[in-house]
Amino acid sequence: MAPRPSKIWADYPVKDINRSKEFYRALGFTVRQLTHDGDDFISLSIGDNGFVLNLFSTERFERGVRTKALDTWGTNEVNFSISADTKDEVLAWEQALLDIDADIISPPEEMKEGWWVMRFADPDGHRWVILNMEK
């Protein structure tokens, strides 16, 4: 029988740890207080289920994965989606992103009847989706 994973998290390479920390903090992500070796790492907690996103300097990320990181501008390595309970919550996300001058890839739109979606990128080009499925 295969082992059952107990936790899952994601790691992203970023060019500027402090810029990324402020970007995600402005969107309500929780910066986890962890001790780590140096200033080239932060850990974020996302949502009610405690999904963890670790941000590493690009150099440190590449050492850890033993390969080159993609340039995420113009490419997409993964698609994370954040659940929104209502269309208004999608619109609130849009406003929060506009307030911090984030790169909105696509503004809120009705994907199909009752489903609303928008897309944005963080300062390093990592793409995110805000998705409401009311029906």
Side-chain angles (χ1 to χ4, degrees), residues 39-126:
D39 294 330
D40 56 357
F41 164 86
I42 62 169
S43 185
L44 306 168
S45 181
I46 305 167
D48 296 335
N49 294 320
F51 181 78
V52 173
L53 175 62
N54 296 313
L55 306 178
F56 292 89
S57 68
T58 300
E59 297 77 22
R60 182 167 177 180
F61 180 85
E62 289 176 345
R63 280 194 317 268
V65 297
R66 295 189 170 103
T67 189
K68 289 287 190 190
L70 289 174
D71 179 0
T72 51
W73 289 105
T75 63
N76 200 27
E77 80 285 17
V78 68
N79 189 55
F80 285 121
S81 297
I82 298 172
S83 175
D85 291 332
T86 64
K87 173 188 173 186
D88 287 341
E89 190 176 335
V90 174
L91 298 175
W93 271 98
E94 178 189 35
Q95 188 58 56
L97 291 158
L98 290 170
D99 289 348
I100 60 172
D101 199 29
D103 179 20
I104 295 178
I105 296 166
S106 64
E109 62 183 333
E110 193 170 30
M111 219 168 76
K112 66 181 209 174
E113 186 179 345
W115 290 29
W116 286 84
V117 64
M118 70 165 298
R119 295 168 184 84
F120 70 95
D122 77 0
D124 290 278
H126 300 289

Side-chain angles (χ1 to χ4, degrees), residues 1-57:
M1 180 165 78
R4 185 176 176 269
S6 63
K7 293 183 182 180
I8 186 170
W9 61 88
D11 300 332
Y12 266 176
V14 297
K15 292 178 180 68
D16 184 328
I17 290 285
N18 290 321
R19 176 185 69 182
S20 294
K21 180 180 2 180
E22 294 311 312
F23 177 86
Y24 285 108
R25 183 179 278 153
L27 295 176
F29 292 40
T30 302
V31 177
R32 301 172 69 221
Q33 299 302 318
L34 298 177
T35 56
H36 217 276
D37 53 336
D39 294 330
D40 56 357
F41 164 86
I42 62 169
S43 185
L44 306 168
S45 181
I46 305 167
D48 296 335
N49 294 320
F51 181 78
V52 173
L53 175 62
N54 296 313
L55 306 178
F56 292 89
S57 68

